[in-house]
Amino acid sequence: MADATETGEPLFSAKNRKTFKDPFMVNNPITLQVLGICSALAVTAQLKPSLVMGIAVVFVVAGANITISVMRKFIPGRVRIIVEMTVVATLVILVDQVLRAYAFEVSKQLSLFVGLIITNCIVLGRLEAFAMGNKVWPSFLDGLGNGLSYAAVIAIVGFFRELMGSGQVLGFKVVPQALYDNLGYTNNGLMVLAPGAFIILGLLIWVQRTVSGHLED
Amino acid sequence: MEYINLAIKAIFVENILLAYFLGMCSYLAVSKKVPTAIGLGLAVIFVLTITSPVNWFIYEYFLKPGAMHWTGNAKLAAMDLSFLKLISFIAVIAAMVQIVEMFIEKVSDTLYNQLGIFLPLITVNCSILGGALFLVEREYDLAESVVFGSASGIGWFLAIVSMAAIRQKLRYSNIPDGLRGLGITMLVTGLIAMAFMAFSGISL
């Protein structure tokens, strides 16, 4: 097995940096590859659960990418999906138990969506597309890049939904009270509900694609 | 009556896709044409209806705290295996999908040709796992879980077929470049979700 160091490839070579950076703009998992939308919509009614969910996904994607990449030579092609699922499910159970122990409130808010990281297509997609055919270090970077760009997108969606839906950011009031009293400003309750999530994400996709120049016919 | 109420709630008021966002990935990927959308929708109804009672059974008799007292063994009865629910549910779903696929292949060629390619996709369709987790969270009994499973499937079917029909029309409209495809699909889904919100409050 030719290791990255043996072949003389530096740890942060241009190729590795590209592997890490690409998911943020050129190949964003949510807005361009259309993966992992379910949880992106469901947990983003407020910023805090979005951040926690982001961290959980970074951990699971990076961890699963490393594990599968280590085992990739030993996994028979026919049963690979079930092997991948088992690895992912194990990592997700770890996250779930840790959340329950140390952040019970958030874990209640996220409820079954922590469990649904298992079926988050980003995880399986990265395993299939990258970890099965690449060495450990690039796989780790790929997992980290995809996880973090996912986290960034849901943090943005969560930020706007909380700001517009309840006038708060991370539970702190940011819209001044005077605005409510004098100008008759009201929170947009729709933002907290399901349609708000679809619309904010739709607009975000529009902005992101216009900036990155990606076109779909 | 109670079951009809539950079904209406699962199909319209708390639509598994439009209110809980479950199964979005395949919804976005496969809603380009009506016939394929119908195929996947039917497969989802099918699998949800079968896996819901199976998962209910496993949770009720093996995983729940104190679930194994039917063994008569005090040590087994005292065990709480509910932390294993994620891994056992996903295993059940993967296995059931495989069995359903083999069964359909034997029984009907036409059905297999229509549903065949969609079945493997369903393992990672979060509406199936989500449905199973809802059963546990809401403490449904066996009959309720069958009704809930099939009604959620029907709700999902309804959402994906209507979306596919809209997208077929959308292809001929003049949409800003960056909004084409995914962007406009999300916005339209938002509008459909808003329309479905009008059902809230309905109970028989």
Side-chain angles (χ1 to χ4, degrees):
Chain A
M1 226 190 277
D3 203 51
T5 44
E6 277 173 40
T7 52
E9 194 185 347
L11 276 183
F12 294 98
S13 63
K15 196 166 133 251
N16 282 346
R17 263 180 290 145
K18 193 167 145 42
T19 310
F20 178 71
K21 257 186 348 206
D22 262 4
F24 285 93
M25 215 51 193
V26 194
N27 210 0
N28 190 292
I30 295 188
T31 60
L32 294 175
Q33 302 176 42
V34 205
L35 300 174
I37 304 274
C38 333
S39 50
L41 296 164
V43 300
T44 50
Q46 287 171 339
L47 186 54
K48 195 173 166 204
S50 323
L51 291 176
V52 174
M53 186 70 178
I55 295 167
V57 169
V58 171
F59 172 74
V60 173
V61 183
N65 256 4
I66 293 174
T67 320
I68 292 296
S69 174
V70 170
M71 302 197 302
R72 71 184 190 279
K73 300 251 164 80
F74 313 108
I75 301 175
R78 290 179 66 96
V79 295
R80 64 172 198 286
I81 299 273
I82 237 157
V83 174
E84 288 163 5
M85 282 301 213
T86 322
V87 169
V88 176
T90 315
L91 287 167
V92 171
I93 291 178
L94 272 179
V95 170
D96 190 30
Q97 298 291 325
V98 169
L99 278 184
R100 256 165 226 242
Y102 295 106
F104 191 68
E105 277 305 306
V106 183
S107 136
K108 268 266 169 287
Q109 264 177 319
L110 293 174
S111 71
L112 49 89
F113 289 98
V114 176
L116 289 175
I117 300 177
I118 298 178
T119 51
N120 188 324
C121 338
I122 293 181
V123 184
L124 201 63
R126 285 339 286 168
L127 294 180
E128 283 280 285
F130 203 90
M132 282 304 280
N134 282 286
K135 288 181 208 132
V136 178
W137 175 246
S139 300
F140 170 68
L141 286 180
D142 177 78
L144 205 61
N146 276 285
L148 285 174
S149 55
Y150 169 86
V153 172
I154 67 170
I156 295 172
V157 177
F159 173 77
F160 281 112
R161 280 183 75 191
E162 191 178 352
L163 182 66
M164 291 195 257
S166 39
Q168 299 174 330
V169 170
L170 278 175
F172 296 106
K173 265 208 154 350
V174 287
V175 177
Q177 191 62 36
L179 218 56
Y180 293 96
D181 297 340
N182 305 334
L183 296 170
Y185 175 84
T186 45
N187 290 323
N188 184 352
L190 195 66
M191 281 299 148
V192 184
L193 299 169
F198 287 116
I199 290 166
I200 291 277
L201 191 58
L203 294 176
L204 188 67
I205 289 166
W206 187 6
V207 171
Q208 204 273 350
R209 286 191 170 182
T210 310
V211 173
S212 72
H214 174 94
L215 293 181
E216 197 177 328
D217 51 22
Chain B
M1 205 61 202
E2 177 195 338
Y3 295 129
I4 299 176
N5 210 350
L6 180 64
I8 290 198
K9 216 171 143 195
I11 297 175
F12 296 109
V13 184
E14 296 181 348
N15 187 296
I16 197 160
L17 182 98
L18 298 169
Y20 291 106
F21 315 107
L22 298 178
M24 281 302 293
C25 301
S26 27
Y27 166 84
L28 292 171
V30 190
S31 62
K32 284 186 182 126
K33 286 201 187 104
V34 175
T36 43
I38 291 178
L40 184 67
L42 287 177
V44 167
I45 298 182
F46 203 61
V47 175
L48 252 175
T49 314
I50 296 173
T51 53
S52 296
V54 175
N55 278 329
W56 178 86
F57 190 81
I58 291 201
Y59 187 73
E60 204 69 10
Y61 287 102
F62 292 100
L63 302 179
K64 206 164 91 167
M68 284 198 282
H69 67 240
W70 54 269
T71 54
N73 183 329
K75 258 191 190 151
L76 280 179
M79 257 196 271
D80 174 8
L81 294 178
S82 53
F83 71 95
L84 283 177
K85 67 172 188 273
L86 290 177
I87 213 164
S88 40
F89 284 175
I90 199 75
V92 165
I93 292 166
M96 287 309 290
V97 168
Q98 200 79 52
I99 293 171
V100 167
E101 190 181 354
M102 292 190 303
F103 180 75
I104 294 183
E105 196 178 4
K106 276 268 182 315
V107 174
S108 155
D109 266 347
T110 36
L111 194 62
Y112 181 74
N113 287 334
Q114 279 165 0
L115 295 188
I117 42 165
F118 300 119
L119 283 170
L121 271 180
I122 287 182
T123 315
V124 285
N125 185 322
C126 25
S127 59
I128 317 282
L129 183 60
L133 293 173
F134 273 135
L135 295 181
V136 171
E137 209 173 82
R138 300 181 185 167
E139 298 173 343
Y140 287 139
D141 63 25
L142 181 58
E144 279 172 341
S145 65
V146 176
V147 173
F148 175 76
S150 50
S152 305
I154 295 169
W156 200 88
F157 174 87
L158 209 64
I160 192 172
V161 172
S162 48
M163 189 65 224
I166 294 174
R167 277 182 92 170
Q168 274 192 339
K169 292 275 174 199
L170 272 182
R171 204 165 315 144
Y172 305 106
S173 32
N174 190 11
I175 301 164
D177 284 343
L179 200 56
R180 274 165 201 273
L182 185 60
I184 192 72
T185 310
M186 295 303 292
L187 293 184
V188 171
T189 313
L191 295 178
I192 299 181
M194 242 186 258
F196 267 66
M197 274 172 66
F199 288 111
S200 61
I202 291 181
S203 65
L204 296 175

